[in-house]
Amino acid sequence: MPTLKIVKLPKFSDSLLLQLKFVSCGRGGLVRFECSNPSDFRIEGDGVVYAARTLQRTPVPASPLLIKAVDTTTQQQWVTQVKMMPPTQVQEPAVPPVISKTLKEIVFPSQNADSTLKRIKRDWVIPPINVPENSRGPFPQELVRIRSDHDKNRSLRYSVTGPGADQPPNGIFTIDPISGELSVNKPLDREHIPNFHLRAHAVDLNGNQVENPIDIVINVIDMNDNRPEFTHQIWNGTVPEGSKPGTFVMTVTSIDKDDPKTANGMLRYKILSQNPESPSSNMFTINNKTGGIITVAAGLDREKVPQYTLIIQATDMEGNPMYGLSNTATAVIRVTDINDNPPEFTAEMFFGEVPENAVNVIVANLSVTDKDQPNTPAWNAVYKITGGDPTGRFSVPTDPTTNEGLVTVVKPIDYEISRTYVLTVEARNEVPLARGIHSPRQSTATVSIRVKDVNESPYFDPNPKLIKLEEGMMPESTLTIFTAQDPDRYMEQTIRYSKLSDPANWLMIDQNTGRIKTIAILDRESPYVKNSLYNATFLATDNGEKKASGTGTLQIYLVDINDNAPKVFPQEAEICEKPEPNAINITALDGDLIPNAGPFAFELAHRPSDVRRNWTITRISGEYAQMSLKIGYLESGIYEVPIIITDSGNLPMSNTSYLRIKVCQCDMNGDCTDQQHIMAAGLGTGAIISILLCIIILLILVLMFVVWMKRRDKERQAKQLLIDPEDDVRDNILKYDEEGGGEEDQDYDLSQLQQPDTLEPDAIKPVGIRRLDERPLHPEPQYPMRSAAPHPGDIGDFINEGLKAADNDPTAPPYDSLLVFDYEGSGSTAGSLSSLNSSSSGGDQDYDYLNDWGPRFRKLADMYGGSDD
């Protein structure tokens, strides 16, 4: 049977009075403690009794404090009482208390009288060990005595092993080796280690094991030392506006590290505050066990209160406000929008105007207001025309930015048909209104649209206009009257007509009446006629302030007449010299249509006479005939055979066409062996023109090259002076950089300079050479010939005489000749040239003959010749 023991603590600490220990005798059920005086005392789940208030000493003995233990599973109860004594009567031991036989044990009377206690014999007697966490000591604190039955006749030594003893965390539990009292040395933390598993050993003094090791389980009893902790400090949830009471919103969750199987870890939730408190201060409630938040009142309106803020409190000890620990979090509940506000127009009537015939033009902007959340389907407006537009000429799309309705013209409007439009427009949202909400009158508006008259273009009716005529109609013939209508009935305007397109230039139109006449013969076979249809376009223009014009197309269907004679096709062919093995198949081309074309009649012309003698033609069908040689052999060559072809028109037309036939030698397959094609006998006009153009271009290029070469020669001759190139100093490079120490250093033949008269006459070069275009007006001057002398001292006289002769020589070039003197140095027998002067200034010379030398010397003649002026 379970028993209760009250162990009196040696010292009071704060309001801690004593600790109640309950021995369950192996029941294992959860025990709940209750005290008889909860106003002065409270007892925790681990059996610790606290003073709930400050106690005063009274002379009257207080009634005993009754402690009740209740098994929560079987509801079995045990009761014990605690006697209170003044503090002076409390004995405080000097050493840590030990469990001894002197400790008083109080046994709860059993509720069941029939129950009996049975002792199971075993080697170890170990009381159950439950140690509360966070004990305040003093330490070491005895827990249990370990005793062996063999300690009665011999001395034993006790020890414990395992985590918490000799294994990490070391030193939490120790045992007295002699008495076997197991003690705890420090406060325990259940949230860190909820229990310890130790092994107890008993040995004799020699270390011999006297008992088998036994396992000891030490359970750490939970204390309410942890506050609840919310998994999020701020919780966000949503709820639609207009929700009914009981609508789920969100769930908040809190965690308590204490034992969830005890009241220490059992949490309870509640709402501490709601902000704002509108329309009620209790719009929400919370399930105190699960943390689920639901609505409890109606009236959620996003347009009035878009968001609520709740302070949620979580308390352990099953929500006991006195003993439980609490914590708070914030729940933010956003009220989401529903379509409970229909769009309403800002005005009952809207106005607009539009010019006629305008398309895709915005006529009016319709503005609405909607109290729902912007840019949501419950706010976005959709407009619909419900009246006033039976032909669908208007539409009202929505401006995605402003949410306005844009009244737009989608079909042309005619002022002459309707001058005003009155539309009825309804505004709705993209999603239907919430249940019970109806569209008010303000969701419908009227739009008045005025149409402005503009000058419209004249139009032809019908357009295009089709007429049917026979081809060949003569000029000045009236075809039809093609007029246009002016849609502006309320404007007095005149229409003028003109021709816009007439590819063949066959027609003319009267600018006032629109009468169309021909100015040329209509020909169905013209290249401008396609499928017998000829198209001409005409322009009609009014005389409005801003002129407008319209176009109309006249289609003339030309009926065919027999006005084209047939022609042979192909016009060229090849045939062998002998009738076998092939013939020529021919047909006819006729620009007319059936029945003015085929079938055709083919026959050979009567002249020249050899045509019918050499050739024969056989009709194959109404479209084809066959040409073949009539004689056994025809010489190779080119023959032009006249063929008369007649069509089948009502008035048949005949034509003589010439078929050019090349008669050639053929191989076994009937192919011409002559490689020369029939076109080789005569070139076409285009080929001849091309050849002539190539020849002309080639001649022009050759002529240009010849002219260029002659011009180049003339320029070269004009620049060239007809003198000896060796004496022409303009084309020779003269070097003056050879200097030495005198005659002794130079390898020169000075005898030529000292005795020029000793040279051979043929070796002496003339002083100058006459130009080819020079007229010899004077005799050749005789330059002095110096006789040989043993001494060269007279070289100066010789040079002076030569200079005088050169000055008087009319055949000399009109420029100073450069004379090269290779001899320089000291000790020269020649005199200095710087001392030489011309013996004549040239003033007595007649230079008029320079005019006869050409334009290059005319300026020189003007400078030296002529009068003294």
Side-chain angles (χ1 to χ4, degrees), residues 484-534:
Q485 307 295 325
D486 192 347
D488 299 314
R489 299 197 304 265
Y490 301 99
M491 298 181 183
E492 296 181 358
Q493 298 180 143
T494 303
I495 298 178
R496 294 289 184 269
Y497 301 94
S498 60
K499 187 171 63 174
L500 184 62
S501 174
D502 182 13
N505 197 23
W506 288 344
L507 309 174
M508 64 173 293
I509 186 170
D510 189 282
Q511 65 174 357
N512 297 318
T513 63
R515 184 183 301 274
I516 299 176
K517 295 182 179 181
T518 61
I519 58 176
I521 298 176
L522 305 184
D523 184 9
R524 192 199 66 83
E525 289 74 32
S526 170
Y528 301 105
V529 178
K530 305 297 182 184
N531 299 324
S532 299
L533 279 178
Y534 179 74

Side-chain angles (χ1 to χ4, degrees), residues 708-851:
W708 178 75
M709 290 296 295
K710 287 186 176 183
R711 184 176 179 181
R712 183 180 177 186
D713 291 341
K714 287 182 179 181
E715 291 179 355
R716 185 179 300 173
Q717 291 176 4
K719 294 180 179 180
Q720 181 179 3
L721 293 176
L722 301 180
I723 59 176
D724 191 348
E726 295 180 2
D727 297 334
D728 188 359
V729 298
R730 294 174 300 172
D731 296 331
N732 297 326
I733 298 178
L734 307 180
K735 299 174 64 176
Y736 297 93
D737 56 354
E738 295 181 0
E739 298 180 0
E743 292 87 328
E744 294 80 7
D745 298 335
Q746 304 298 329
D747 188 12
Y748 294 120
D749 185 9
L750 297 181
S751 62
Q752 300 296 327
L753 183 62
Q754 295 172 354
Q755 299 177 353
D757 54 343
T758 60
L759 298 177
E760 292 293 331
D762 296 337
I764 299 176
K765 215 172 205 180
V767 175
I769 299 176
R770 288 191 302 110
R771 295 176 57 91
L772 295 178
D773 57 347
E774 175 187 356
R775 296 181 181 179
L777 300 179
H778 302 279
E780 289 288 341
Q782 296 298 324
Y783 289 92
M785 299 299 293
R786 182 173 174 273
S787 59
H791 193 275
D794 59 347
I795 189 64
D797 296 335
F798 173 76
I799 293 177
N800 289 330
E801 293 176 1
L803 182 60
K804 184 184 296 183
D807 290 340
N808 296 324
D809 185 6
T811 62
Y815 49 83
D816 293 338
S817 297
L818 262 172
L819 303 180
V820 179
F821 296 92
D822 292 333
Y823 170 72
E824 292 182 359
S826 60
S828 175
T829 59
S832 175
L833 294 179
S834 61
S835 61
L836 297 179
N837 292 318
S838 177
S839 61
S840 174
S841 63
D844 54 351
Q845 294 291 327
D846 184 8
Y847 293 100
D848 291 337
Y849 65 89
L850 294 177
N851 293 318

Side-chain angles (χ1 to χ4, degrees), residues 622-643:
E623 303 291 335
Y624 292 94
Q626 191 176 73
M627 285 281 297
S628 61
L629 283 174
K630 188 176 182 180
I631 59 179
Y633 173 79
L634 185 62
E635 185 180 357
S636 299
I638 304 298
Y639 299 87
E640 290 189 354
V641 181
I643 302 174

Side-chain angles (χ1 to χ4, degrees), residues 222-524:
D222 184 45
M223 301 286 290
N224 191 19
D225 59 344
N226 291 280
R227 292 181 178 274
E229 296 291 341
F230 283 94
T231 56
H232 301 286
Q233 195 59 34
I234 298 179
W235 296 80
N236 294 295
T238 59
V239 60
E241 62 175 333
S243 297
K244 296 180 180 180
T247 302
F248 175 79
V249 179
M250 61 191 301
T251 299
V252 298
T253 305
S254 181
I255 299 176
D256 196 320
K257 295 180 181 179
D258 293 326
D259 191 355
K261 297 180 180 180
T262 65
N264 299 333
M266 296 181 181
L267 307 181
R268 297 295 182 265
Y269 301 92
K270 71 175 181 178
I271 298 175
L272 296 182
S273 65
Q274 170 191 307
N275 184 34
E277 298 180 354
S278 174
S280 171
S281 59
N282 296 316
M283 296 296 295
F284 305 92
T285 186
I286 188 170
N287 187 308
N288 64 345
K289 292 184 179 180
T290 64
I293 301 175
I294 61 174
T295 60
V296 293
L300 291 174
D301 190 349
R302 188 201 66 83
E303 288 73 32
K304 294 180 179 179
V305 181
Q307 181 175 291
Y308 289 90
T309 302
L310 307 180
I311 303 301
I312 309 298
Q313 183 185 57
T315 306
D316 57 16
M317 297 300 294
E318 298 180 300
N320 190 321
M322 181 176 295
Y323 307 133
L325 301 177
S326 302
N327 211 338
T328 60
T330 302
V332 179
I333 301 175
R334 183 172 57 88
V335 182
T336 58
D337 186 38
I338 64 172
N339 194 14
D340 58 343
N341 294 282
E344 298 180 359
F345 286 99
T346 57
E348 295 183 359
M349 178 73 74
F350 294 88
F351 299 91
E353 63 179 12
V354 59
E356 64 174 333
N357 299 321
V359 181
N360 296 327
V361 176
I362 297 176
V363 180
N365 291 30
L366 312 182
S367 57
V368 296
T369 58
D370 196 320
K371 296 179 181 178
D372 292 321
Q373 186 174 357
N375 301 316
T376 61
W379 179 83
N380 296 334
V382 179
Y383 300 89
K384 180 182 179 182
I385 299 176
T386 59
D389 185 24
T391 57
R393 298 185 180 275
F394 299 91
S395 68
V396 189
T398 304
D399 189 325
T401 303
T402 62
N403 207 32
E404 293 181 343
L406 308 178
V407 181
T408 308
V409 181
V410 294
K411 293 182 181 180
I413 301 174
D414 193 350
Y415 174 83
E416 285 70 28
I417 296 177
S418 179
R419 300 184 183 184
T420 58
Y421 288 86
V422 179
L423 309 179
T424 301
V425 181
E426 181 183 14
R428 297 181 179 179
N429 293 120
E430 293 181 353
V431 294
L433 291 172
R435 182 177 299 180
I437 306 297
H438 302 282
S439 297
R441 182 177 58 86
Q442 292 80 1
S443 295
T444 303
T446 303
V447 183
S448 178
I449 301 173
R450 184 175 66 88
V451 183
K452 296 188 298 183
D453 191 16
V454 297
N455 186 18
E456 299 178 78
S457 301
Y459 64 94
F460 290 87
D461 188 23
N463 188 17
K465 183 177 182 179
L466 177 65
I467 60 175
K468 189 174 183 180
L469 301 171
E470 282 190 356
E471 64 172 329
M473 184 171 288
M474 300 305 293
E476 297 298 329
S477 300
T478 300
L479 300 184
T480 185
I481 297 177
F482 196 22
T483 58
Q485 307 295 325
D486 192 347
D488 299 314
R489 299 197 304 265
Y490 301 99
M491 298 181 183
E492 296 181 358
Q493 298 180 143
T494 303
I495 298 178
R496 294 289 184 269
Y497 301 94
S498 60
K499 187 171 63 174
L500 184 62
S501 174
D502 182 13
N505 197 23
W506 288 344
L507 309 174
M508 64 173 293
I509 186 170
D510 189 282
Q511 65 174 357
N512 297 318
T513 63
R515 184 183 301 274
I516 299 176
K517 295 182 179 181
T518 61
I519 58 176
I521 298 176
L522 305 184
D523 184 9
R524 192 199 66 83

Side-chain angles (χ1 to χ4, degrees), residues 1-7 18-25 27 31-34 43-49 65-71 76-82 103-111 117:
M1 177 182 294
T3 59
L4 280 174
K5 296 182 180 180
I6 297 298
V7 179
L18 53 90
Q19 182 176 7
L20 184 81
K21 290 187 177 181
F22 179 75
V23 181
S24 61
C25 297
R27 282 178 171 267
V31 178
R32 183 179 73 253
F33 297 103
E34 298 178 359
I43 182 170
E44 298 291 342
D46 55 357
V48 178
V49 180
L65 179 64
L66 299 180
I67 303 299
K68 181 191 296 184
V70 181
D71 191 328
Q76 188 174 358
Q77 299 181 358
W78 296 268
V79 179
T80 186
Q81 69 178 13
V82 178
L103 293 179
K104 185 178 181 181
E105 296 182 358
I106 302 176
V107 179
F108 280 86
S110 175
Q111 297 286 338
L117 296 177

